[in-house]
Amino acid sequence: VLLAGGKVKKDVYGGYAAGKGKSVKNTITLSGKRNFASIDLYGGFSAGNGDAFTGNRLVADAFTGKVKGLYNFQHYNFALPNTLESGGVVIAVQGKTAANLDKTNVMIEGMQGGGKSLKPGDVITLIGKVRGKPASFRGSKVKKGISEIYTFSSKVSGGNLQAVVESVDQDPKTK
């Protein structure tokens, strides 16, 4: 499911299983600057309590915006927008329920070229309003454009999943 334009008025499901079926290996991709503050996003949903978590992925592709809630995602992948500054938020959860990060995998896979550059020590919020912490985080060798390579660490602080810029290097291929 790709959410990149138009209006969304109802909750969005990457997959839905009636009965006791599974709803696994689904992907929802968010793109652009959007306000989904009244929309819950489900990687999967099973009416009969079947597996609705395994392999479900949320991709934030140069996305910044609000959602009501995030449910049943095992993987969170981020391609950061070039408008993001230190202190910025990628996904702000607006509903009452914090996104559960237990047993999840989080990866920053890239950054748009141009625009703003982050520097070591800068902190961005990947997901605002979380509980738990990811089982794994990958934020090394993250390319921005053609020449910058970032390394990020992660932390959960103040109920937010944050990425901290540890280093910024120039790609040796572009020196």
Side-chain angles (χ1 to χ4, degrees), residues 49-123:
N49 294 321
D51 184 359
F53 176 76
T54 303
N56 292 330
R57 182 177 312 274
L58 180 70
V59 177
D61 185 9
F63 174 83
T64 56
K66 300 173 183 175
V67 300
K68 182 178 176 187
L70 298 172
Y71 302 95
N72 298 332
F73 292 100
Q74 182 179 17
H75 307 287
Y76 290 91
N77 295 61
F78 295 88
L80 302 176
N82 61 11
T83 56
L84 197 61
E85 299 181 56
S86 184
V89 178
V90 178
I91 301 173
V93 175
Q94 301 292 294
K96 292 179 183 178
T97 305
N100 184 358
L101 295 182
D102 290 335
K103 301 179 183 176
T104 64
N105 305 302
V106 175
M107 179 171 66
I108 300 175
E109 51 189 27
M111 301 171 69
Q112 282 183 319
K116 312 269 182 192
S117 286
L118 298 170
K119 61 187 180 307
D122 284 351
V123 178

Side-chain angles (χ1 to χ4, degrees), residues 18-38:
K20 296 181 183 181
K22 294 180 182 180
S23 181
V24 299
K25 298 182 182 176
N26 304 298
T27 300
I28 294 177
T29 301
L30 305 171
S31 184
K33 186 174 182 175
R34 304 291 309 232
N35 183 353
F36 299 120
S38 62

Side-chain angles (χ1 to χ4, degrees), residues 138-152:
R138 185 170 156 256
S140 61
K141 298 183 182 177
V142 177
K143 284 199 90 168
K144 179 178 195 273
I146 60 169
S147 63
E148 291 178 314
I149 299 175
Y150 284 73
T151 299
F152 293 90

